[in-house]
Amino acid sequence: MNFSISFYATGVVILIGLLIGRVVCGYLCPFGLFQELLFKIPTKKFTLPRGANYAKYVVLIVFVLIMPIAVTNYAGIGAPAFCEYICPAGTLEAGIPMLITHPEFRAVLGKLFALKIAVLLIVIVGSVCVERFFCRVLCPLGAIYGLLNSRSFFRLQFDETKCVNCGRCRSTCPMAVDPTKCGNSIECIRCKKCAAQCPKQAIDFNFSPK
């Protein structure tokens, strides 16, 4: 309550980002699994328009950095604006189960919860049509880890002498990254799907001291 920033939380996030980058998005995030299952639903698929990936940085700046500082309660504590107004993962994994198990909470539902449900529905539809929609467009934690991707110890290694330009790595990437040009892109979630598809083993992931 006496400090304007949580150094513990910030330090832990930066430490994880510097160690493994967006491996968190590729292997640890339960909402990432939910999106992957949704994308398997057979329907017409779409590609995101150019620049849509940067929307999550707007969300990070506005809802994670600015609003908690600008909007505080009587004790001077900032509200977790992203969790309060947007986060579909919280709605799906906490809000809805809470309502199912605690019927008394249903009587106090209002416009805010309706907004959260609307956001969740948009993300669900988006995830059915666009692979990893929430990760690519809205997730502020993914945005933070993405900024640390190029400096993380766990890295993509590309051997251009082995590459035959077959394009399999590009076509299989759920984040629309070209590993041959920007393997340690801010969008790469280290899922290793590109390495698994490479017929010449030109792509590898490992810890590098550089």
Side-chain angles (χ1 to χ4, degrees):
M1 291 175 62
N2 297 326
F3 298 92
S4 58
I5 184 172
S6 174
F7 288 100
Y8 286 115
T10 304
V12 168
V13 169
I14 292 175
L15 176 62
I16 293 173
L18 288 176
L19 288 176
I20 59 176
R22 291 193 74 176
V23 170
V24 175
C25 307
Y27 286 93
L28 300 178
C29 177
F31 202 70
L33 170 63
F34 179 63
Q35 292 176 87
E36 289 185 354
L37 295 175
L38 288 174
F39 191 71
K40 292 181 181 295
I41 297 174
T43 185
K44 186 176 181 179
K45 308 301 180 182
F46 298 92
T47 57
L48 287 175
R50 184 183 297 272
N53 291 343
Y54 293 103
K56 59 181 171 288
Y57 294 98
V58 176
V59 172
L60 172 64
I61 293 171
V62 175
F63 288 91
V64 179
L65 299 179
I66 295 178
M67 288 185 66
I69 295 174
V71 183
T72 59
N73 62 14
Y74 67 94
I77 300 175
F82 175 78
C83 300
E84 187 173 347
Y85 298 108
I86 297 179
C87 185
T91 305
L92 177 69
E93 299 163 12
I96 294 176
M98 184 74 74
L99 291 175
I100 294 174
T101 56
H102 295 74
E104 64 273 18
F105 290 163
R106 300 171 195 169
V108 297
L109 295 181
K111 294 181 180 179
L112 180 58
F113 189 74
L115 171 64
K116 297 289 293 292
I117 289 294
V119 172
L120 175 61
L121 292 176
I122 291 171
V123 169
I124 288 175
V125 173
S127 299
V128 171
C129 301
V130 178
E131 195 166 11
R132 289 272 183 160
F133 176 79
F134 176 71
C135 301
R136 296 167 66 180
V137 178
L138 290 174
C139 183
L141 189 57
I144 295 173
Y145 288 140
L147 293 174
L148 297 169
N149 247 4
S150 63
R151 293 290 181 264
S152 69
F153 286 100
F154 190 71
R155 307 180 62 76
L156 182 149
Q157 308 288 342
F158 170 62
D159 188 345
E160 58 182 318
T161 62
K162 296 180 180 180
C163 181
V164 293
N165 294 312
C166 64
R168 293 184 184 179
C169 59
R170 293 189 293 272
S171 63
T172 196
C173 179
M175 303 296 286
V177 173
D178 184 350
T180 66
K181 296 181 180 179
C182 50
N184 292 296
S185 159
I186 58 178
E187 296 300 322
C188 176
I189 58 174
R190 310 293 202 244
C191 65
K192 298 185 178 181
K193 290 182 179 180
C194 55
Q197 288 295 319
C198 183
K200 298 297 182 180
Q201 289 77 52
I203 300 174
D204 190 21
F205 289 84
N206 52 53
F207 284 92
S208 171
K210 293 184 180 180

